[in-house]
Amino acid sequence: MKKRILILTITLTALLLACGGDTFKYYFLKGFYCSYLVVEDMKVQKVADDWMYLSSVGDELNVLCDFLGGLNKNSFDAFAVSHGDTAYNREEAFVVFGEKPNYVPLISLEYKTMGMDIQSITITSDKDYDETHLAGTPLNDIIRCVTYSAMEYIRQGYPDSIPYVFRKEEGEEINGVPVGIENYLLDSQSTGRWTRTDKMLSEYSQEDLKLINRCKYYLRNDPFVKEKLHPVALFQFTSLPTLEQDYVMTVTITGTDMMDELTFVTSCEFSFGTDSIN
């Protein structure tokens, strides 16, 4: 495995000192995305009776960014070129920290994504789920998956006609998904030119999984440590298991960050209530 490069180092103290007043600066973006999170791990966690999140784990300061130079810029450019994200050619305003001329931009969520293309996701159980889904065999055909990505926006040449996706108000549903759950994938009031994909996990292709967006870090292990959980996918079990018992669900993710082939394996305990599936 090639050694990863820690791209950006900003201390919490420096950020706090800089927050006295918002200063904005315009940056020219050649591509729509201008920051890729270096993915260090992936984790799955249960969030409701029949729902799980898949989250990427990474330090917000460990990124490939368009506004930095050296090897970082070369890696950023290679990733952007591989996805055809090279002709956005617009100026966007970001809040900046620090002292002029060495401003550091606080990049808006909609211009940030994972620095990894997921190639496959497989979910298995440690026990027989039903007669056709035995222990260790894929459950993908009974698991609904919801993701967001700007790849279609990029493919279409950044058209102004693609509408923004907005967070929903509490009490609303998005095709049957409780908004309190799905909003973790959205993070902010307006989340950019994203396309929502909602279908069975077995129907997802590698193209569907390219540049899937990440939430900033609504979910975290501890607010005082650097490891943050960035939700990138929502899973729903669409049928109940034969037996009511505790299960361990294991998610295996393969992908690439343009430098290395990556494999992450993550598990969580899962139990189903009798009325958990709508």
Side-chain angles (χ1 to χ4, degrees):
M1 299 283 284
K2 297 182 180 179
K3 184 178 180 181
R4 301 189 184 279
I5 303 167
L6 181 62
I7 304 304
L8 183 59
T9 55
I10 306 174
T11 66
L12 179 60
T13 301
L15 286 175
L16 292 175
L17 289 174
C19 287
D22 290 344
T23 300
F24 291 86
K25 183 176 184 298
Y26 278 89
Y27 288 84
F28 180 80
L29 307 185
K30 187 173 182 181
F32 176 73
Y33 285 120
C34 56
S35 179
Y36 300 117
L37 176 79
V38 176
V39 179
E40 300 166 2
D41 198 0
M42 301 201 82
K43 291 189 177 181
V44 67
Q45 58 194 134
K46 179 181 178 181
V47 291
D49 280 340
D50 50 352
W51 300 92
M52 298 190 299
Y53 284 123
L54 178 66
S55 300
S56 59
V57 180
D59 186 339
E60 277 288 299
L61 305 183
N62 192 5
V63 297
L64 303 177
C65 182
D66 191 21
F67 310 134
L68 300 175
L71 293 175
N72 165 81
K73 187 64 166 67
N74 292 338
S75 298
F76 174 89
D77 287 346
F79 206 78
V81 168
S82 72
H83 296 92
D85 187 16
T86 59
Y88 186 64
N89 297 333
R90 302 176 192 178
E91 284 193 335
E92 302 291 354
F94 299 133
V95 174
V96 292
F97 296 102
E99 298 294 330
K100 188 178 181 179
N102 300 314
Y103 285 133
V104 176
L106 179 61
I107 299 169
S108 303
L109 172 70
E110 61 213 77
Y111 303 103
K112 303 162 76 170
T113 190
M114 289 197 301
M116 168 188 174
D117 278 337
I118 295 176
Q119 296 173 329
S120 69
I121 301 173
T122 304
I123 300 179
T124 60
S125 169
D126 66 326
K127 302 180 181 71
D128 291 351
Y129 193 87
D130 56 30
E131 292 182 356
T132 59
H133 298 90
L134 304 182
T137 61
L139 300 172
N140 292 22
D141 63 323
I142 60 169
I143 293 178
R144 175 187 184 184
C145 181
V146 179
T147 57
Y148 286 86
S149 172
M151 270 305 301
E152 188 60 28
Y153 177 59
I154 294 169
R155 290 192 190 102
Q156 292 186 25
Y158 318 99
D160 292 332
S161 59
I162 292 184
Y164 274 71
V165 174
F166 292 95
R167 279 175 65 94
K168 303 296 183 181
E169 297 299 324
E170 292 298 327
E172 291 187 78
E173 289 191 350
I174 308 172
N175 293 338
V177 183
V179 69
I181 293 177
E182 179 141 357
N183 270 350
Y184 278 112
L185 295 179
L186 299 177
D187 184 59
S188 61
Q189 291 300 317
S190 114
T191 55
R193 313 297 191 182
W194 296 0
T195 299
R196 182 181 189 271
T197 302
D198 180 354
K199 57 187 175 182
M200 302 305 289
L201 183 56
S202 58
E203 298 173 359
Y204 266 73
S205 67
Q206 288 189 10
E207 286 298 308
D208 293 325
L209 293 168
K210 280 188 174 180
L211 293 184
I212 59 174
N213 280 55
R214 61 186 181 86
C215 168
K216 188 175 181 182
Y217 44 76
Y218 260 90
L219 307 178
R220 63 193 75 187
N221 289 344
D222 187 308
F224 301 106
V225 298
K226 288 185 177 180
E227 183 183 74
K228 301 293 193 294
L229 301 180
H230 308 262
V232 298
L234 175 61
F235 302 129
Q236 181 190 25
F237 290 88
T238 60
S239 66
L240 286 168
T242 302
L243 298 176
E244 289 186 29
Q245 57 184 330
D246 293 335
Y247 295 84
V248 175
M249 299 299 173
T250 297
V251 183
T252 302
I253 307 100
T254 65
T256 178
D257 63 359
M258 303 297 120
M259 296 183 291
D260 300 310
E261 298 297 317
L262 306 173
T263 299
F264 300 110
V265 180
T266 175
S267 300
C268 69
E269 294 183 357
F270 216 97
S271 58
F272 297 87
T274 55
D275 298 320
S276 61
I277 304 295
N278 295 322

